[in-house]
Amino acid sequence: MASSGHSNGIHIFPKMMYVKTLVALLVLMFLTVAVAQVNLSHIVARWGWDPGVGTVLNNIIAMTIAVVKGLLVIQFFMHVKFGSDLVKLWAMTGFIWVTLMLFILMDYGTRKYEPAPAFDADKGSALYREITRTGENPPPDNYPIVRPR
Amino acid sequence: MSSAHAEVENFPVHVHTQFEDIEQQNESYIVGMWTFMVTEVMFFGALFLVYILYRWNYQPDFYRAHEALDWRLGATNTTLLLLSSFTMVMGVHFAQLRKRKQVVMNLIATCVLATGFLLIKFVLEWPIKFEHHLVPGTSFGIHPEQLNGASPRAAELFFSLYFLMTGLHAIHIIVGIIIIGALALMWQKNKKSVTEDYIPTELVGLYWHFVDLVWIFLFPLFYLIPQ
Amino acid sequence: MSAVPLDQTHQEEELNYLTNGKSIKSWLLTGDHKRIAILYLISTGFFFMIGGIFASLIRLELTSPTGVLLETETYNRIFSAHGIVMIFLFLIPSIPAVLGNFILPIMIGARDLAFPRLNLLSWYVYMAAGILITWALCIGGVDTGWTFYTPLSTTYSHGAISLAILGAFLAGFSSIFTGINFIATIHKMRAPGMTWFRMPLFAWAMYATSVVILLGTPVVAITLALVMVERWTGIGIFSPELGGDPVLFQHMFWFYSHPAVYIMILPAFGVISELVANFTRKRIFGYHFVAFSTLAISGLGFLVWGHHMFVSSQSMYEGIVFSLISFLVAVPSAIKVFNWTATIYKGNVRLQTPFIYAICFLMLFTVGGLTGLFLASMGTDVHLTATYFVVAHFHYVMVGGAITGFLGGLHYWWPKMTGRMYPEGIARVNAILVFIGFTATFVPQFIVGFLGMPRRYHYYYFAPEFQPYHIASSMGASILGIAFFTPVVYFVWSLFKGEKASANPWGAHGLEWETTSPPDSHNFHHVPVVTDEVYDFPGVEYAHPSHGHKKKKKTAEPVSKEHN
């Protein structure tokens, strides 16, 4: 950061930098929309691979483009590229930490996760009775008092 | 990319009592704003986590349910927000040069573009969902043909997440419009606290870019689900 | 700034932060971090008493195997209230918002925090949270426990869940604002010459705590907000019959709530570092180790949330990973305890009240931490989870750890904050009474826990042989209650009749001891320049020449010009 005398040492960036960033962002947006129209599963199936790979590929491409767009916004519009190391550190930390939180998904990757059947299917179930309960709130506490042994 | 070290002549300097000099004050405010944005990243990140989990588990149903969303409207919204980010950063640029008229113009433009975003969302996108009974709640899925063959439970999850995440994002946009509008008003009235210190404008700009950033990720996740 | 000498004889004529403006408006619209700290002290103290009342009801109820005066539903609401009030309204804000707000800026040589108005906002948000939670408790409370597990909280409970959640949400934001303030202050506003490694360990602890607050609290905010939305609209994010997963709530909730316990204990670690160094008149042994282990705990603490969920149907493989990392996270805490003990060895010990609390901390926290290891190992946790063993473990670390740290710090900095000394004799006896009462309360709970007493049950008629333990615990709780209430009495007494304190009544080392007691509104008349190392007591001989810094003392370099 330049600072001398009584000025604030403000960096004033050329307008063209912002314009170029905007153009890049718009181009990337059209690219991501265009790629999404292409049905990668079919293309991939024609090559003889499992069509699921095509879906994954499409996801990866979409997310990569989103990340690049995000980086453009962060680096140029939010001036992180020209900021102090501390600002760079904080900007990174947020995204690293979100990634860390995604380790929650590790649980679901290592066990079979099945949602329960719809509750209203079983009209006699305790679940159903509890949801449709009317009357006192809270329900009366009528546990029998058992004499201690 | 070279940056111009333009030093604005006679830029008045107001330092609050707890700071030693203007550099410390400016850097403190920027550090403070970034730490706040880290919390916002974690805030939205948790919702992204829920979304990723359910999309992973219900991929085909999410694909079918998402066909009720119009990607063209989404793309228009994205363009509007990107443009608004541009006008915002231009507003900050002119704030550094203390050019009042251009600042006010750019801030107003940002508000207008953001309002356009909200109009498309609340007038063109959301009411249709209500009509087709795609809003989660007791009347969800009454017209099964609207679901495109997705299982109603998974589709309800998709739309819950859709309304939650775009709704939370819209709340941030509304707050942003209010703040940017207030900032534009203060610039228009030549209030010293904003005309003689570019930092408030910069901080509002950071917030607005963050809102744009969230939408950059929301758009492909909801509107561009591959088969 | 005028060069007014810091002469004690002029103290009555100078305005300090307490006398500078005496109207209610000057207190309620203050930007002065010291006044905000006092506001927090009064409000957190008040909520601590409320939480204590709920604790007494719990202990009263458990003295009989068939329950004494509460029905099941009511008991559920009482222990939930105890948890919510104590955790969200007392433990999380206490040391950072009271001691941190007051002492941190003075300790690093700043005139105030970086964002004074944000600081005031954080207090108002905290009060709003307190009002909401109190309101929720008054209209019936919640019966889900402070953990708000789904699907009880989203679908089946009839309590005032949304209100309580809104209160917890706001309390979270209050702590986020405090955290933002501390981080900006510590990075940018240290006095010239105060490098990171000349900063007292209390400041390191505040920094680590703030990082944890920022990275964890938003997650629980969203999670609780999702519970609220699910209650109102009936969507199924956490409901299995609608395609959701209740264990996801637990993952997201504990992703914050485990780091939350580090938010509660890290500031106490900071206080203990200060107490141990200043009451043994010795530099903390292994200062760098203590500083880095503080950061390590704040990082590692985010990787262990699953140890609250070993029996929740999360996958066994995840459980193994969490168990392993939970053992690892005990290491930095142990490093600190070893370092503090090594500091006391051959130190010039003065057994005054703050140091008694520090010793209580070392003993109680060590026991608490060690019992945590039983819970970290999956095999034993299956037997011990949801029993009173867990209850005793977390009370050992949170009350025996965090609250003794808070009390120790409050006694230590009380002369600085108010300019008065509390009565030392009574305070010393009271400190020992805290230890006795605490041990009597929670050791029986360990025993009854591994014998099988479940937590959150208000009756145990199936095992009446537990009754003697519960009665012993309740007796201890009465002693503890008295011991926690007595400081309120003598602190208030000291405000009027206490002996006036000098600037440095403990002979301690640190920038906060170089201002007047109580400090001036702007803390310092001129910005101090730091030239000596941290905890540098004059005339101290070290047992080994390797104590102290190996590098020669550097000349003071202005630190505010650095980029970090």
Side-chain angles (χ1 to χ4, degrees):
Chain A
M1 296 260 290
S3 73
S4 64
H6 57 262
S7 81
N8 300 28
I10 308 170
H11 267 193
I12 301 192
F13 301 106
K15 287 199 270 272
M16 274 314 287
M17 180 182 89
Y18 298 133
V19 173
K20 283 194 231 173
T21 314
L22 175 69
V23 168
L25 284 168
L26 288 171
V27 163
L28 284 171
M29 188 200 73
F30 285 118
L31 186 64
T32 196
V33 169
V35 169
Q37 305 307 314
V38 171
N39 194 335
L40 274 183
S41 307
H42 285 172
I43 298 181
V44 153
R46 267 191 275 138
W47 294 342
W49 293 352
D50 171 30
V53 171
T55 319
V56 171
L57 216 57
N58 218 325
N59 281 333
I60 294 179
I61 295 177
M63 280 299 106
T64 312
I65 297 181
V67 165
V68 171
K69 282 164 78 177
L71 277 175
L72 282 173
V73 169
I74 292 178
Q75 296 275 52
F76 294 108
F77 280 175
M78 293 167 116
H79 304 141
V80 167
K81 188 164 148 79
F82 314 104
S84 65
D85 286 337
L86 182 61
V87 166
K88 289 198 176 81
L89 177 70
W90 270 119
M92 266 191 340
T93 304
F95 296 100
I96 294 178
W97 230 252
V98 171
T99 316
L100 198 144
M101 191 172 55
L102 296 184
F103 276 113
I104 290 179
L105 297 173
M106 182 172 70
D107 177 26
Y108 297 95
T110 46
R111 65 175 163 111
K112 203 157 151 38
Y113 158 58
E114 277 170 4
F119 70 89
D120 51 1
D122 179 6
K123 297 255 185 296
S125 73
L127 222 59
Y128 186 72
R129 272 183 282 133
E130 177 59 39
I131 294 171
T132 52
R133 177 168 64 79
T134 54
E136 266 181 61
N137 174 23
D141 183 25
N142 41 22
Y143 298 109
I145 301 289
V146 173
R147 292 266 155 259
R149 286 183 239 131
Chain B
M1 196 168 281
S2 68
S3 45
H5 289 218
E7 274 159 21
V8 183
E9 291 306 318
N10 299 319
F11 203 116
V13 161
H14 298 292
V15 182
H16 297 138
T17 49
Q18 69 266 23
F19 294 108
E20 294 302 312
D21 54 36
I22 189 66
E23 252 196 64
Q24 188 190 38
Q25 176 171 299
N26 286 348
E27 286 178 25
S28 300
Y29 276 116
I30 298 206
V31 167
M33 191 64 195
W34 269 105
T35 49
F36 174 68
M37 286 202 296
V38 164
T39 66
E40 289 274 329
V41 167
M42 293 304 287
F43 198 62
F44 276 97
L47 281 176
F48 278 104
L49 167 78
V50 180
Y51 175 85
I52 293 177
L53 174 69
Y54 289 133
R55 176 154 145 191
W56 180 23
N57 277 300
Y58 298 118
Q59 164 78 21
D61 295 304
F62 268 37
Y63 172 74
R64 294 197 199 104
H66 109 281
E67 293 191 325
L69 300 175
D70 190 351
W71 62 263
R72 288 170 308 219
L73 289 178
T76 317
N77 267 346
T78 312
T79 315
L80 286 178
L81 264 192
L82 289 175
L83 285 172
S84 77
S85 239
F86 175 73
T87 54
M88 184 72 226
V89 83
M90 292 309 288
V92 174
H93 176 82
F94 286 118
Q96 289 177 329
L97 294 169
R98 299 188 73 203
K99 299 222 172 117
R100 189 170 64 100
K101 273 213 203 59
Q102 279 92 323
V103 172
V104 175
M105 268 181 2
N106 275 302
L107 291 181
I108 301 279
T110 312
C111 284
V112 165
L113 289 165
T115 314
F117 176 96
L118 287 179
L119 280 174
I120 294 185
K121 177 170 289 306
F122 290 140
V123 171
L124 292 181
E125 289 193 299
W126 280 26
I128 303 184
K129 307 283 178 304
F130 280 87
E131 260 177 45
H132 291 170
H133 294 279
L134 288 175
V135 173
T138 42
S139 67
F140 183 81
I142 289 184
H143 298 187
E145 67 275 7
Q146 296 296 340
L147 294 174
N148 291 324
S151 105
R153 284 182 291 122
E156 187 163 6
L157 270 178
F158 175 81
F159 281 105
S160 314
L161 284 166
Y162 171 75
F163 282 108
L164 274 171
M165 293 176 79
T166 57
L168 185 65
H169 182 253
I171 292 178
H172 279 77
I173 296 223
I174 294 175
V175 169
I177 294 179
I178 295 176
I179 296 181
I180 297 178
L183 189 67
L185 201 62
M186 289 170 80
W187 269 98
Q188 177 63 21
K189 292 199 171 160
N190 228 335
K191 292 255 191 232
K192 286 214 192 101
S193 51
V194 297
T195 57
E196 294 187 350
D197 185 3
Y198 80 102
I199 284 286
T201 316
E202 167 99 23
L203 296 182
V204 173
L206 284 178
Y207 172 79
W208 191 253
H209 296 308
F210 173 76
V211 167
D212 186 27
L213 194 61
V214 172
W215 182 259
I216 287 177
F217 283 94
L218 276 184
F219 171 59
L221 283 180
F222 278 106
Y223 289 85
L224 303 177
I225 299 183
Q227 202 151 16
Chain C
M1 285 259 165
S2 62
V4 177
L6 297 174
D7 191 346
Q8 290 311 114
T9 58
H10 290 287
Q11 198 173 350
E12 290 86 60
E13 291 129 17
E14 281 180 13
L15 288 178
N16 56 55
Y17 81 97
L18 287 170
T19 52
N20 190 5
K22 289 204 172 173
S23 64
I24 301 235
K25 189 172 145 196
S26 72
W27 273 86
L28 291 182
L29 289 180
T30 182
D32 186 356
H33 64 104
K34 301 182 285 298
R35 289 195 164 191
I36 295 176
I38 301 291
L39 290 174
Y40 262 113
L41 177 63
I42 300 174
S43 32
T44 51
F46 172 73
F47 285 116
F48 179 63
M49 296 296 149
I50 303 273
I53 294 177
F54 289 123
S56 339
L57 285 171
I58 294 176
R59 283 306 339 151
L60 187 58
E61 175 70 7
L62 285 172
T63 48
S64 155
T66 53
V68 173
L69 46 74
L70 300 173
E71 299 178 352
T72 313
E73 277 290 323
T74 319
Y75 183 77
N76 290 348
R77 288 153 196 255
I78 297 280
F79 70 69
S80 309
H82 173 68
I84 294 174
V85 168
M86 283 303 200
I87 291 183
F88 291 114
L89 295 180
F90 177 69
L91 277 171
I92 287 180
S94 64
I95 303 182
V98 176
L99 299 174
N101 260 332
F102 198 102
I103 294 294
L104 180 70
I106 313 181
M107 194 183 248
I108 60 175
R111 276 192 284 273
D112 202 322
L113 286 175
F115 310 123
R117 285 170 296 186
L118 189 65
N119 203 7
L120 183 66
L121 178 66
S122 114
W123 184 73
Y124 275 109
V125 172
Y126 169 81
M127 289 307 287
I131 290 174
L132 281 173
I133 290 182
T134 312
W135 182 12
L137 296 180
C138 288
I139 62 175
V142 303
D143 56 353
T144 56
W146 79 277
T147 47
F148 293 110
Y149 274 7
T150 54
L152 175 62
S153 56
T154 53
T155 319
Y156 301 108
S157 167
H158 296 274
I161 302 229
S162 297
L163 258 186
I165 282 184
L166 210 49
F169 188 90
L170 287 179
F173 272 95
S174 162
S175 65
I176 287 178
F177 295 150
T178 306
I180 294 177
N181 240 326
F182 284 177
I183 288 188
T185 308
I186 293 178
H187 270 291
K188 288 281 146 207
M189 294 175 66
R190 282 168 284 138
M194 183 167 283
T195 59
W196 280 88
F197 292 114
R198 282 185 187 163
M199 229 174 35
L201 287 166
F202 182 70
W204 277 98
M206 288 294 115
Y207 183 75
T209 308
S210 305
V211 171
V212 176
I213 290 177
L214 287 189
L215 295 174
T217 317
V219 178
V220 82
I222 269 284
T223 313
L224 293 177
L226 281 177
V227 170
M228 246 194 328
V229 171
E230 200 165 322
R231 271 180 84 78
W232 291 341
T233 61
I235 63 178
I237 307 270
F238 299 125
S239 305
E241 60 272 5
L242 294 173
D245 184 21
V247 178
L248 180 66
F249 172 84
Q250 293 189 28
H251 276 296
M252 292 170 72
F253 179 81
W254 286 113
F255 186 83
Y256 163 73
S257 299
H258 188 82
V261 316
Y262 293 114
I263 295 175
M264 301 178 222
I265 199 66
L266 282 173
F269 285 163
V271 171
I272 297 301
S273 295
E274 294 301 310
L275 297 182
V276 165
N278 284 296
F279 284 90
T280 56
R281 297 188 67 75
K282 228 176 122 189
R283 190 170 301 149
I284 289 280
F285 184 89
Y287 169 92
H288 289 78
F289 273 92
V290 178
F292 286 126
S293 67
T294 312
L295 293 178
I297 292 176
S298 69
L300 275 178
F302 273 95
L303 302 179
V304 294
W305 74 87
H307 65 225
H308 301 269
M309 299 165 55
F310 283 141
V311 295
S312 69
S313 89
Q314 85 174 351
S315 90
M316 182 180 72
Y317 304 104
E318 270 219 346
I320 296 175
V321 171
F322 282 125
S323 181
L324 181 65
I325 307 182
S326 302
F327 276 99
L328 285 177
V329 83
V331 171
S333 303
I335 289 178
K336 293 165 119 83
V337 172
F338 292 147
N339 279 315
W340 290 321
T341 316
T343 312
I344 301 178
Y345 174 66
K346 288 206 179 176
N348 183 355
V349 172
R350 289 161 304 144
L351 270 182
Q352 287 161 307
T353 311
F355 192 65
I356 298 184
Y357 278 112
I359 297 193
C360 291
F361 176 96
L362 286 178
M363 294 194 284
L364 297 175
F365 177 76
T366 307
V367 170
L370 289 173
T371 52
L373 293 175
F374 294 100
L375 298 166
S377 114
M378 273 207 290
T380 48
D381 185 74
V382 171
H383 173 69
L384 294 171
T385 193
T387 63
Y388 261 81
F389 193 89
V390 178
V391 174
H393 157 73
F394 66 68
H395 280 91
Y396 254 81
V397 282
M398 291 206 282
V399 180
I403 298 190
T404 50
F406 178 65
L407 284 174
L410 198 59
H411 283 79
Y412 176 56
W413 280 305
W414 186 259
K416 178 59 56 180
M417 288 162 72
T418 58
R420 303 274 187 164
M421 277 300 286
Y422 57 84
E424 180 71 24
I426 303 181
R428 270 192 240 196
V429 169
N430 193 66
I432 301 188
L433 208 61
V434 164
F435 181 79
I436 294 176
F438 180 85
T439 310
T441 311
F442 291 105
V443 165
Q445 289 189 13
F446 274 127
I447 303 175
V448 88
F450 70 68
L451 287 177
M453 171 77 195
R455 63 186 285 205
R456 298 177 169 174
Y457 273 43
H458 78 113
Y459 49 61
Y460 43 98
Y461 57 79
F462 42 81
E465 63 270 18
F466 291 163
Q467 187 172 21
Y469 297 107
H470 278 294
I471 292 188
S473 179
S474 297
M475 281 175 10
S478 329
I479 303 177
L480 191 60
I482 297 174
F484 277 147
F485 188 70
T486 315
V488 176
V489 174
Y490 66 65
F491 276 139
V492 172
W493 175 89
S494 78
L495 288 176
F496 303 104
K497 295 275 179 52
E499 183 193 320
K500 285 219 173 149
S502 64
N504 193 354
W506 309 112
H509 180 273
L511 279 178
E512 73 267 27
W513 301 109
E514 294 175 21
T515 55
T516 54
S517 302
D520 185 56
S521 281
H522 288 294
N523 299 342
F524 299 98
H525 290 293
H526 5 262
V527 176
V529 175
V530 177
T531 50
D532 47 350
E533 300 298 319
V534 70
Y535 306 126
D536 197 9
F537 292 98
V540 176
E541 293 170 22
Y542 291 106
H544 300 280
S546 60
H547 277 213
H549 296 275
K550 296 192 172 51
K551 296 186 267 214
K552 282 286 148 209
K553 290 182 188 163
K554 297 194 283 230
T555 52
E557 284 171 24
V559 80
S560 56
K561 300 286 183 248
E562 289 171 15
H563 278 282
N564 282 0

